[in-house]
Amino acid sequence: MEDKRQSRRDFFSKYAPAAFVGALGIWGGSLLRFTLPTLLPQATQRIKLGMPDDYPPGPVKNVDDERVMVFSDAEGIYAISTTCTHLGCVVTWTGRGFTCPCHGSRFDMKGDIEAGPAPSALVWYRITRLPSGQLAVDMDDSVKPGTKEPLYA
Ligand code: FES
């Protein structure tokens, strides 16, 4: 009986510090991963969208892999980032706005904040026309919210 207690004590004295350090490492790694999206620079890119006729007013085209959603209405076409301004999670389109699955921020249809903790509205990107006539989202060029590229001017 005495030997069992001694061996348990030995076991914990040997492995508890290693378990503590391991748990600390996992916690630290998680914390670092949690903050990385806002620390890393965004890749520079221009995303081709296709021809203007592909964007009749109304529907939403989700360019999800690129973290942007493209909308068109009677005033033109516009692109809103799906990267949450809090810590960089990808927001989800609800049909009436955006929600962030990470910490619950909510944005309206224009990307303005309805509920935090996001500190600012979603970013709008410039839509440009390429020499070929195709439309493209300029992910390096944010514009004032509400800026739309007329489709049928
Ligand atoms: S990352 Fe969106 S609310 Fe925190």
Side-chain angles (χ1 to χ4, degrees), residues 6 15 22 26 49 54 58 62 67 73 83 90 104 107 110 113 125-126 135-137 144 151 153:
Q6 188 63 33
Y15 296 109
I26 291 170
L49 297 175
D54 297 336
N62 189 358
R67 290 190 163 214
D73 60 24
T83 300
V90 177
F107 305 87
K110 295 179 179 176
I113 300 172
Y125 293 119
R126 182 175 306 285
L135 298 167
V137 179
K144 182 180 168 195
L151 281 176

Side-chain angles (χ1 to χ4, degrees), residues 23-112:
L24 197 60
I26 291 170
W27 177 78
S30 301
L31 192 62
L32 184 62
R33 170 66 184 92
F34 190 65
T35 58
L36 275 179
T38 56
L39 299 178
L40 296 174
Q42 297 287 324
T44 59
Q45 56 186 331
R46 176 177 279 177
I47 302 164
K48 289 182 181 176
L49 297 175
M51 300 307 284
D53 289 345
D54 297 336
Y55 294 89
V60 173
K61 181 169 172 82
N62 189 358
V63 192
D64 222 10
D65 291 346
E66 307 295 349
R67 290 190 163 214
V68 66
M69 288 188 77
V70 176
F71 301 81
S72 65
D73 60 24
E75 297 169 5
I77 185 169
Y78 54 102
I80 301 177
S81 169
T82 56
T83 300
C84 182
T85 55
H86 181 222
L87 291 175
C89 290
V90 177
V91 296
T92 306
W93 173 249
T94 64
R96 291 177 296 168
F98 304 85
T99 61
C100 181
C102 293
H103 311 103
S105 287
R106 290 196 321 271
F107 305 87
D108 68 12
M109 295 182 81
K110 295 179 179 176
D112 290 331

